[in-house]
Amino acid sequence: MVIPYARQSISEQDLNAVAEVLQSDYLTQGPVVPAFEDAVAQLVGAKYAVAGNSATSMLHLACLALGVTTGDLVWTSPNSFVASANCALYCGAEIDFVDIESETFNMSATALAAKLELAKKSNRLPKVIIPVHMGGQSCDMQSIGSLARQYDIKVVEDASHAIGGTYNSQRIGNCAHSDITIFSFHPVKIITSGEGGMATTQDEGLAHDMRMLRSHGITRDESEFEFTNDGPWYYEQQELGFNYRLTDIAAALGLSQLQRIDSFIQQRNSIAARYNEAFASTLVAAPHIASNSVSAFHLYIARCDFENLKVTRVQLFQKMKDMGVLLNLHYIPIYRQPYFAKMGFDRKTFPNAERYYAQAFSIPMYADLTETDQNTVISSLLNALSTQ
Ligand SMILES: *Cc1c(COP(=O)(O)O)cnc(C)c1O
């Protein structure tokens, strides 16, 4: 039996919620998607929530709603999944990266300030920045938000890891320092709908635009029609949109999972506390969580100074696998991917992302990880690091 790095937790209630939709009138475009949207909006304290079939889709729509287009520039964190950067490329924009903080692995507000000052001088400021809440811990949104206001830049929080987490005692997703926040409901994340994503915002116009774009750019609202209403069948396509809709089947799973969000976060945090304690005064560096944050702990990211160890990281991954524990690495810096490398990024401009990539690895973390399995992870890891 193998311990994976992440996995979903499915309850009897989840099964029933999905079965109920399957026996109802609507498998999609029914009442459950809006119910899921309302529940997420209420949880995080946002006026509006717009569901879609993935976080990637919603990142794309967020960029479009903020007007990102050909010739624009978008900045994100190099330490993220490629979707955080691809959303800008889908809109025809160019992408660039801001180096991370070595302690939180999040976009550095200091590096951002320095890069903005240079960009202003060369008249090449980004239209949108996309900070990523790495592992479930919020970025320093107060600093990032105030820089964005100073330079008149829009902010999309990629909170794919972070639903349920808090920043300054408020839920991530209330957009206190941003325009839009995006959540992912992929099965490895905190709650799942199979595939799925959601955007939250306090801005009615942005919510409206994302809603329209997720369904072909079509409106059925008569008050919005540009041409004459031909009759009861009439609708208008006013923009080039997509089919990025979430199904009611998926929304039912997401909504049911959401009822357990606080226990998921609590379980993840107690596993993290257990790991922290076990790794104190060992070769394993635990992740640092700022005092004004509660991480959703999508990931537990450990680091080792492999240059000064007898075990390489490749060997560590193999040894752990032999002991039935799967490790992972989040993330390969995006600019290192062949598709992005062609754009000509210089690795030396991201020293913290490079050091992080040399040291980091993710160990198993999910709500249902049993105490026995936690013990196996801890003892296997310490054992693997102490042997040659
Ligand atoms: C998972 C993830 C995404 C993409 O989410 P999907 O729902 O799979 O599209 C985007 N950004 C980050 C940081 C992620 O971890």
Side-chain angles (χ1 to χ4, degrees):
M1 217 187 54
V2 169
I3 306 173
Y5 92 86
R7 77 166 271 129
Q8 68 278 9
S9 163
I10 302 295
S11 70
E12 194 75 29
Q13 184 198 307
D14 294 340
L15 296 175
N16 293 337
V18 172
E20 208 173 294
V21 170
L22 287 172
Q23 291 163 312
S24 75
D25 290 339
Y26 299 99
L27 301 189
T28 191
Q29 297 182 283
V32 190
V33 167
F36 184 31
E37 290 174 334
D38 290 348
V40 170
Q42 195 182 341
L43 173 81
V44 305
K47 275 206 194 101
Y48 307 96
V50 183
N53 58 11
S54 71
T56 304
S57 301
M58 297 318 291
L59 282 164
H60 181 195
L61 297 190
C63 287
L64 288 175
L66 290 169
V68 175
T69 186
T70 313
D72 286 337
L73 187 56
V74 171
W75 292 357
T76 188
S77 170
N79 185 28
S80 186
F81 185 53
V82 291
S84 309
N86 287 340
C87 56
L89 304 181
Y90 297 153
C91 303
E94 273 178 56
I95 193 79
D96 199 357
F97 303 97
V98 181
D99 202 10
I100 61 171
E101 291 171 347
S102 43
E103 285 306 299
T104 63
F105 327 140
N106 279 332
M107 178 186 281
S108 157
T110 315
L112 176 63
K115 198 174 170 95
L116 283 169
E117 209 176 304
L118 285 175
K120 175 139 183 135
K121 283 191 189 125
S122 57
N123 205 16
R124 191 72 179 120
L125 283 167
K127 180 175 267 182
V128 171
I129 50 178
I130 308 178
V132 180
H133 302 321
M134 187 63 194
Q137 170 170 222
S138 176
C139 295
D140 175 2
M141 288 310 299
Q142 220 157 324
S143 304
I144 291 172
S146 96
L147 283 166
R149 274 191 303 280
Q150 185 188 329
Y151 287 91
D152 194 21
I153 294 165
K154 303 295 183 187
V155 181
V156 176
E157 297 173 64
D158 183 343
S160 292
H161 299 180
I163 194 166
T166 68
Y167 173 68
N168 288 338
S169 307
Q170 297 183 326
R171 293 278 190 181
I172 292 169
N174 72 346
C175 301
H177 308 282
S178 69
D179 298 278
I180 299 171
T181 301
I182 305 295
F183 297 116
S184 170
F185 309 126
H186 184 278
V188 296
K189 308 288 164 73
I190 311 291
I191 64 165
T192 188
S193 60
E195 295 275 5
M198 202 168 308
T200 59
T201 181
Q202 305 290 7
D203 185 304
E204 188 178 5
L206 293 175
H208 169 271
D209 290 354
M210 290 189 285
R211 226 168 241 140
M212 210 164 137
L213 289 168
R214 88 173 151 187
S215 197
H216 310 281
I218 283 174
T219 180
R220 290 174 184 278
D221 180 348
E222 188 175 15
S223 69
E224 295 183 341
F225 289 167
E226 294 176 17
F227 295 167
T228 314
N229 184 351
D230 292 340
W233 61 86
Y234 190 72
Y235 58 82
E236 285 189 354
Q237 183 191 338
Q238 298 177 339
E239 301 286 341
L240 184 61
F242 306 85
N243 181 350
Y244 281 173
R245 293 186 307 260
L246 188 69
T247 67
D248 277 46
I249 306 168
L253 178 55
L255 180 58
S256 175
Q257 292 249 307
L258 194 67
Q259 315 308 311
R260 286 186 289 153
I261 185 90
D262 286 329
S263 75
F264 285 155
I265 301 296
Q266 202 197 328
Q267 283 164 306
R268 287 170 175 273
N269 273 275
S270 66
I271 294 167
R274 188 90 208 296
Y275 282 159
N276 289 346
E277 198 184 312
F279 301 143
S281 47
T282 70
L283 296 166
V284 181
H288 170 77
I289 305 300
S291 58
N292 62 345
S293 270
V294 174
S295 176
F297 267 110
H298 162 51
L299 303 172
Y300 187 94
I301 299 161
R303 282 166 302 155
C304 284
D305 182 9
F306 288 102
E307 276 175 24
N308 294 307
L309 286 183
K310 296 198 178 80
V311 183
T312 68
R313 193 168 43 183
V314 173
Q315 288 166 338
L316 177 67
F317 271 56
Q318 186 58 50
K319 281 168 187 268
M320 294 294 282
K321 193 175 171 192
D322 294 344
M323 292 184 273
V325 180
L326 298 184
L327 302 182
N328 212 315
L329 205 171
H330 305 89
Y331 290 93
I332 306 159
I334 298 175
Y335 54 76
R336 278 178 168 253
Q337 297 291 348
Y339 186 80
F340 290 86
K342 281 184 238 141
M343 300 170 196
F345 294 105
D346 181 0
R347 290 176 186 183
K348 287 194 290 293
T349 41
F350 310 105
N352 289 348
E354 285 294 300
R355 191 175 324 105
Y356 171 90
Y357 182 53
Q359 300 186 338
F361 54 97
S362 309
I363 68 175
M365 168 58 86
Y366 45 93
D368 288 351
L369 187 67
T370 63
E371 214 166 298
T372 313
D373 284 351
Q374 293 167 37
N375 290 337
T376 305
V377 173
I378 292 165
S379 60
S380 306
L381 183 57
L382 296 178
N383 186 4
L385 287 169
S386 67
T387 55
Q388 281 193 263

